[in-house]
């Protein structure tokens, strides 16, 4: 008899209330092994891969790709691999009670309807935790109860403090891995593929780098590898029938007055962007300070850099960071009636992705060189476009920078990213006449626009910031 368990919407982070099923990576009644990516779930800013904690299969999948479900909602029914009747599956579904907490990244990935009766086992010998060990009270209690020697534990908490999770990890018996096949090494930067696709490719001798992935962000899936295998003229009796692919929801086509257009629901990330920016424009009194800045010296200095050159945006991040140190009244966040003034420049940089705008943060940019900022931004931009940013990498920040110069945009005004107090919008550098010590010259000029929260920043503060920023850009050796 199969053991059935609910597969529910997980909860990552305190503020998560819902998630969107981006794609199911396995189908109904398709066996999978531990470590297989089961589904991709989109949250506000990132896409999370949910891996199987044990072997099994889905006997029923209810959640549809592209649909959003609250935390704890029933998405599918898991089996340990055994057969289950439709009546048994229906009984579990009808008796399921949603959980508000879902499961976290350290849980088993399922929510059991009721705990099994505990087995009677010999109680471990209690130990006494020595004094002077950096350990939480809960971890101390668990270590003494489970008989764990904490002197051999390397704590994962702040300052090396031992947590209850560290104690449980040591107390948990090690599982003997079951070798199911030889897989080639997968160094960083290798082909983006699912574990099942890698296993089949290794067994069948298929070069993954030669395949065009059909999954999200070009991920190579099982179906891509199977399609690359040599076709057999006659089916054999041993050949297992392949399950029919799950139909993907098609965009709804609506006809109005003879014109046709596609209707697609907003993604979870797009809905978050819409909500936050609407609140920003409705609740924050914006005012704008605009200025033209000559960029010929900055561009000339960048052209003289040997080797890999930082981008213009990297220089602008550095300039903003130093200008914020000169005018700290702009380096703030606004929380209700409180103004949080920051001692370091944490610059949020707008990065366009296929799913929407993401603002990863360059922390302590005032203490970094332009080259260091360039290296940090490359890593952050790559993670943003692949949906791999951690929440702490895009949450917070004391100032924002949005640069549309790469798209040929000459000038624009940006919406403040709350709770920050200001954002700088940068257009492309285009030739314009300027007064250069009484002479008229035509040089590349940047059009800058600073959006400020008038609740916390006065016009004079915005003006001083723009003056400091212009001085840094026009005298780039100061950077």
């Amino acid at each position: 008899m199969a053991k059935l368990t609910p597969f529910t919407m997980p909860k990552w982070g305190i503020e998560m209330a819902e998630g969107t099923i981006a794609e199911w990576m396995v189908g109904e009644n398709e066996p999978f092994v531990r470590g297989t990516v089961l589904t991709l779930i989109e949250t506000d800013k990132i896409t999370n891969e949910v891996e199987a904690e044990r072997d099994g299969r889905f006997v029923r999948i209810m959640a549809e790709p592209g649909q959003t479900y609250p935390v704890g909602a029933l998405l599918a029914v898991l089996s340990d691999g055994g057969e289950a009747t439709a009546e048994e599956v229906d009984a579990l579904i009808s008796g399921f009670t949603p959980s508000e907490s879902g499961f976290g990244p350290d849980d088993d990935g399922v929510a059991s309807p009721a705990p099994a009766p505990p087995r009677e086992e010999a109680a471990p010998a209690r130990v006494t935790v020595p004094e002077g060990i950096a350990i939480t009270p809960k971890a101390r209690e668990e270590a003494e109860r489970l008989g764990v020697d904490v002197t051999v534990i390397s704590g994962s908490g702040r300052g090396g403090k031992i947590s209850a999770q560290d104690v449980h990890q040591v107390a948990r018996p090690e599982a003997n891995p079951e070798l199911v096949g030889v897989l080639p090494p997968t160094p960083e930067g290798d082909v983006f593929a699912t574990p099942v696709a890698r296993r089949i490719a290794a067994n069948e001798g298929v070069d993954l780098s030669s395949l065009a992935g059909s999954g999200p962000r070009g991920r190579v899936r099982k179906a891509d590898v199977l399609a690359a295998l040599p076709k057999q003229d006659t089916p054999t009796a041993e050949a297992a029938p392949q399950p029919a692919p799950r139909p993907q929801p098609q965009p709804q086509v609506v006809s109005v007055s003879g014109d046709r257009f596609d209707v697609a629901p907003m993604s979870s990330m797009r809905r978050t962007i819409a909500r936050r920016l609407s609140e920003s424009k409705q609740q924050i009194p914006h005012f704008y300070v605009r200025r033209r800045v000559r960029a010929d010296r900055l561009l000339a200095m960048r052209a003289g850099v040997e080797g890999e050159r930082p981008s213009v945006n990297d220089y602008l991040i550095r300039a903003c960071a130093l200008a914020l140190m000169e005018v700290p009244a702009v380096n703030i966040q606004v929380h209700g009636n409180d103004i949080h003034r920051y001692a370091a420049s944490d610059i949020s940089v707008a990065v366009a992705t296929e799913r929407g705008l993401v603002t990863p943060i360059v922390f302590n940019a005032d203490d970094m060189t332009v080259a260091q900022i360039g290296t940090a931004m490359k890593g952050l931009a790559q993670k943003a476009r692949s949906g791999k940013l951690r929440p702490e990498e895009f949450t917070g920040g004391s100032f924002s920078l949005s640069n549309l110069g790469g798209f040929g945009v000459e000038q624009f005004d940006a919406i403040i990213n709350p709770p920050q107090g200001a954002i700088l919008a940068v257009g492309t550098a285009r030739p314009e006449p300027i007064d250069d010590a009484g002479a008229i010259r035509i040089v590349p000029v940047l059009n800058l626009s600073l959006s400020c929260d008038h609740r916390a920043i006065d016009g004079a503060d915005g003006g001083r910031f723009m003056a400091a920023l212009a001085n840094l850009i026009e005298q780039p050796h100061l950077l």
Side-chain angles (χ1 to χ4, degrees):
M1 180 178 177
K3 177 183 177 182
L4 302 181
T5 50
F7 182 82
T8 62
M9 176 61 70
K11 184 178 180 66
W12 293 291
I14 299 176
E15 297 182 355
M16 179 178 172
E18 61 184 15
T20 301
I21 301 296
E23 182 181 7
W24 288 103
M25 309 306 292
V26 297
E28 282 188 4
N29 294 313
E30 179 181 341
F32 53 78
V33 298
R34 179 179 180 180
T36 301
V37 177
L38 303 179
T39 183
L40 304 180
I41 296 179
E42 295 180 354
T43 57
D44 288 353
K45 296 287 185 181
I46 55 179
T47 299
N48 299 277
E49 296 180 344
V50 181
E51 296 185 353
E53 295 293 331
R54 60 180 70 88
D55 298 355
R57 60 189 177 94
F58 287 121
V59 293
R60 187 171 302 176
I61 297 177
M62 288 83 70
E64 294 293 335
Q67 298 299 314
T68 300
Y69 300 90
V71 167
L74 181 63
L75 306 179
V77 178
L78 274 170
S79 166
D80 59 359
E83 297 293 334
T85 65
E87 290 76 12
E88 292 173 331
V89 177
D90 292 338
L92 184 144
I93 296 174
S94 61
F96 175 77
T97 301
S99 168
E100 294 183 358
S101 60
F103 63 84
D106 296 326
D107 293 332
D108 289 336
V110 296
S112 301
R119 295 179 297 176
E120 293 186 1
E121 298 180 354
R126 297 183 65 88
V127 300
T128 300
V129 176
E131 295 298 330
I133 299 292
I135 186 171
T136 66
K138 181 63 176 179
R140 179 185 296 272
E141 176 184 339
E142 291 297 291
E144 294 177 349
R145 182 179 65 85
L146 298 174
V148 174
D149 181 10
V150 298
T151 60
V152 300
I153 300 178
S154 178
S156 61
R158 180 176 299 178
K161 178 173 287 189
I162 300 173
S163 66
Q165 182 179 358
D166 298 329
V167 174
H168 292 159
Q169 188 69 27
V170 173
R172 183 182 302 142
E174 295 185 0
N176 295 322
E178 179 183 355
L179 300 180
V180 296
V182 180
L183 295 180
T186 56
E188 285 293 323
D190 200 359
V191 178
F192 188 36
T194 65
V196 175
R198 290 187 184 278
R199 184 171 293 106
I200 296 176
N203 293 335
E204 300 294 338
V206 177
D207 182 8
L208 287 174
S209 63
S210 65
L211 304 182
S214 62
R217 308 184 303 279
R219 187 184 186 114
V220 178
R221 304 169 55 190
K222 171 184 175 182
D224 302 323
V225 180
L226 295 177
L229 298 179
K231 297 293 189 294
Q232 296 183 354
D233 296 332
T234 56
T236 61
E238 292 82 5
Q242 295 295 330
R246 290 179 55 82
Q248 299 295 322
Q250 299 297 322
Q252 179 185 3
V253 179
V254 183
S255 178
V256 179
S257 302
D259 297 327
R260 301 178 66 82
F261 57 88
D262 294 340
V263 177
M266 282 188 177
S267 66
S268 176
M269 177 177 176
R270 177 55 59 186
R271 290 198 306 271
T272 300
I273 293 173
R275 173 179 55 81
R276 287 177 56 84
L277 294 186
S278 296
E279 292 174 354
S280 177
K281 287 295 287 185
Q282 292 170 359
Q283 300 175 9
I284 297 178
H286 286 58
F287 77 90
Y288 308 95
V289 181
R290 303 180 181 93
R291 179 157 181 162
R292 297 167 67 244
V293 178
R294 63 183 298 175
D296 54 327
R297 297 166 184 160
L298 174 62
L299 297 177
M301 185 177 74
R302 176 177 178 269
V305 175
E306 297 181 358
E308 188 173 2
R309 298 173 182 169
S311 69
V312 173
N313 210 50
D314 299 331
Y315 285 96
L316 294 175
I317 294 172
R318 172 69 171 162
C320 288
L322 296 181
L324 289 171
M325 293 295 95
E326 291 188 39
V327 189
V330 182
N331 194 34
I332 63 169
Q333 287 187 359
V334 182
H335 297 266
N337 294 325
D338 297 327
I339 299 176
H340 295 190
R341 303 191 183 278
Y342 282 74
S345 298
D346 299 336
I347 310 294
S348 300
V349 184
V351 175
T353 71
E354 294 181 355
R355 299 174 57 236
L357 191 67
V358 183
T359 53
I361 303 171
V362 180
F363 290 95
N364 301 306
D366 53 298
D367 286 336
M368 302 172 68
T369 65
V370 176
Q372 290 172 333
I373 291 174
T375 301
M377 273 307 304
K378 285 182 180 178
L380 289 170
Q382 182 179 3
K383 294 173 70 174
R385 294 189 176 102
S386 61
K388 298 296 184 182
L389 282 175
R390 301 189 302 272
E392 60 269 22
E393 292 178 314
F394 60 82
T395 303
S398 59
F399 185 85
S400 285
L401 170 65
S402 180
N403 186 352
L404 293 181
F407 300 98
V409 176
E410 296 182 4
Q411 185 175 6
F412 69 104
D413 297 321
I415 300 176
I416 295 172
N417 180 23
Q420 296 173 9
I423 180 173
L424 181 71
V426 182
T428 188
R430 61 187 302 271
E432 293 184 11
I434 65 167
D435 179 6
D436 187 10
I440 301 300
R441 297 185 57 198
I442 296 179
V443 300
V445 171
L446 289 172
N447 285 283
L448 311 179
S449 176
L450 180 70
S451 304
C452 299
D453 184 344
H454 217 331
R455 297 175 302 175
I457 300 175
D458 294 329
D461 298 325
R464 282 192 289 268
F465 173 83
M466 291 295 269
L469 182 64
N471 183 58
L472 290 163
I473 294 175
E474 294 181 347
Q475 301 185 66
H477 64 277
L478 299 175
L479 300 178

